[in-house]
Amino acid sequence: MKKLLLIVSLCVFVSSVAAQQIDLIQNVDGRKTISLDGQWQTIIDPYESGFYDYRYQPNANGYFKNAKPRDKSDLIEYDFDKSATLKVPGDWNTQSDQLFFYEGTVWYKKSFDYELRSGRRLFVHFGAANYVADVYLNGEKLGQHEGGFTPFNFEITRLVRERGNFLVVKVDNKRRRDAVPTLMTDWWNYGGLTRPVSLVETSNTFIHDYSIQLQKGTRDRISGWVRLNGAQLRQRVMIRVPEARISRSFTTDANGFAAIDFNADLDLWSPENPKLYDVRVEAETDQVRDQIGFRSIETRGTEILLNGRPIFLRGICMHEEAPLRGGRAYSREDAVTLLGWAKELGANFVRLAHYPHNEVMIREADRMGMLLWSEIPVYWTIQWENPATLENARKQLSEMIVRDKNRAAVVIWSVANETPLSDARLSFLKNLVAHARSLDSTRLISAAMERHYVNSTTQMIDDPLGEILDVLGCNEYVGWYDGLPRKADRLEWKSKYDKPLIMSEFGADALYGHHGDALTRWTEEYQEDLYRHQISMLRKIPFLRGTSPWILMDFRSPRRPLPGIQDYWNRKGLISNRGEKKKAFYVMQQWYRELRERK
Ligand code: GCB
């Protein structure tokens, strides 16, 4: 009887482990990782008939079974192996004309063999899937993930076979009113397995996660934690930073958790000195290595202080749009090109709009010395009163912070963009701010807030959200959606808060190579003139501590159909989608040069 009970409880454990989704950190040295990138077999399924039967009931024999006819009379109406392929990572829209405007379900299948030695564990890790992913291995459901821009993984230790595994993912990018983002955005809803997919092998008890950062308010003290996952939770764990002659040992508790805290004499990370240390976390049963930079970030009145010194954030906004080829960016080359352009502009700061960008982008920013603002797609008119929507936003926020909490480049988490005032919106966003602070006490919290005219020449920042933010963010389109560029000349900015302001967006559309006078819309001259007027207004705002104009490069948007000009591109880029710099690029570059030299 006792034996039976043991077997039963083990089975329960096994089945719950098989479906468990944990935030396994993946992109660290020391993990055995097998890439599943490349061509995957795909089936386009606009009616979701691979999931529902004709009565719209879930079908137990959906496409995830990857069935084959057993004999010549058997009826199977799909065949992955004879279907077209799509490249992973990659959005589907730019890989096939059929899929350019498609919003719906595509099924992906990849087969693989894997010899997993006993005592080892295996996970399948997805960098991101836009928007909902239902994941199956060998016909069994592993789970579902919602949210198009954050990583997730499932343990497959008990399900994986030596030969002939088939991993099937149903990816659905249908927009929904209750989702995050909601129905209306100003970017392309690129669908698919947009980031890398890999198998990650670990030891039985492994280093699940760690936070190793300067303690808030100090520049010579590291604090954080290490967490193990597995059966052997009490272990001695060493943290080593050989270059800084640090070697400290801690003991994890019965939950596999150890708080860490020690003094450190460090060469601090900054845009001028993007110093990364090789950091080793060594448990008895697992070891990982990471490259971590240490810097402090805080505010004092209207100042932003990096490593204790005031800094002006010379920024630029960026979408995760691939330079030159278009589509979702995912590669190191994409990140190097985009960040390289930002450097050329004279930027020390990038606002990654409007969702968490791929991890390679953040790691490149760490290497190149670019400060980052990272945000979740709580954009425009989210369903503020829907508890499931809040839960979804909180989860996306957690996943972003879990992934990037050790990256020096990230200095600001932003919780929302241009969200209309209401009590429901305020309590939703307060919840997110509190959640972000509970997960990460070291970074600044911001949002692109609302602001309004109190008379025709005064803009007032008094959005109640400002109360709980560290840094105020404002988007304004004076000269584009709001009057003509010269309107900026007489504008004065006031704030209710003694806090730093980042002008998180301003700009104008211009088609590269389209010329005219400074009052002709869509010309490079209009955009250039608007930037001149904007800069003279911005110079006069006493509490301004950063700017991130909209936007580095043209990006695709279904809201932008004007033929011959937009052709479904938002043309507010300082650089065209083909990499050509517009006149306004040089205006901004000149101002940033001045700002850099002034300090
Ligand atoms: C905004 C939004 C941004 C849009 C931009 C525009 O305020 O935050 O997502 O793309 O304006 O071009 O209208």
Side-chain angles (χ1 to χ4, degrees), residues 92-111:
W92 63 54
N93 314 70
T94 57
Q95 295 192 54
S96 144
D97 289 345
Q98 265 187 330
L99 292 172
F100 187 64
F101 283 104
Y102 183 68
E103 296 186 307
T105 283
V106 173
W107 292 84
Y108 286 75
K109 195 232 16 159
K110 184 83 173 171
S111 299

Side-chain angles (χ1 to χ4, degrees), residues 186 319 354 379-380 417-418 475 477 481 505 550 555 560 570 572:
D186 186 27
H319 260 294
H354 279 304
Y379 181 95
W380 291 352
N417 181 74
E418 291 182 359
N475 301 347
Y477 282 88
Y481 298 123
E505 287 181 28
W550 193 252
F555 61 97
R560 311 291 173 177
N570 182 313
K572 294 192 186 70

Side-chain angles (χ1 to χ4, degrees), residues 17-156:
V17 164
Q20 192 188 10
Q21 196 182 320
I22 65 168
D23 306 314
L24 167 76
I25 42 151
Q26 189 251 324
N27 281 312
V28 290
D29 305 332
R31 292 251 184 271
K32 181 175 172 193
T33 300
I34 308 287
S35 169
L36 293 181
D37 294 347
Q39 297 294 324
W40 288 49
Q41 253 94 28
T42 54
I43 300 174
I44 305 171
D45 187 15
Y47 281 34
E48 298 181 289
S49 35
F51 194 78
Y52 297 111
D53 64 17
Y54 78 121
R55 301 290 191 212
Y56 205 59
Q57 295 303 308
N59 183 350
N61 286 315
Y63 293 176
F64 45 86
K65 291 288 184 195
N66 186 31
K68 305 283 174 200
R70 275 157 305 185
D71 55 49
K72 64 184 181 186
S73 310
D74 207 8
L75 175 64
I76 307 278
E77 293 191 77
Y78 68 96
D79 185 347
F80 273 110
D81 297 314
K82 292 201 176 111
S83 298
T85 62
L86 285 170
K87 186 175 160 287
V88 174
D91 64 83
W92 63 54
N93 314 70
T94 57
Q95 295 192 54
S96 144
D97 289 345
Q98 265 187 330
L99 292 172
F100 187 64
F101 283 104
Y102 183 68
E103 296 186 307
T105 283
V106 173
W107 292 84
Y108 286 75
K109 195 232 16 159
K110 184 83 173 171
S111 299
F112 64 93
D113 299 333
Y114 201 94
E115 282 179 36
L116 184 67
R117 277 182 290 125
S118 81
R120 306 284 295 171
R121 295 168 69 178
L122 194 66
F123 296 81
V124 57
H125 180 279
F126 296 82
N130 191 35
Y131 171 79
V132 175
D134 288 274
V135 185
Y136 305 82
L137 182 68
N138 301 335
E140 300 290 319
K141 183 145 190 174
L142 300 177
Q144 185 183 72
H145 180 266
E146 178 165 355
F149 304 95
T150 43
F152 55 98
N153 53 80
F154 300 99
E155 180 155 15
I156 55 171

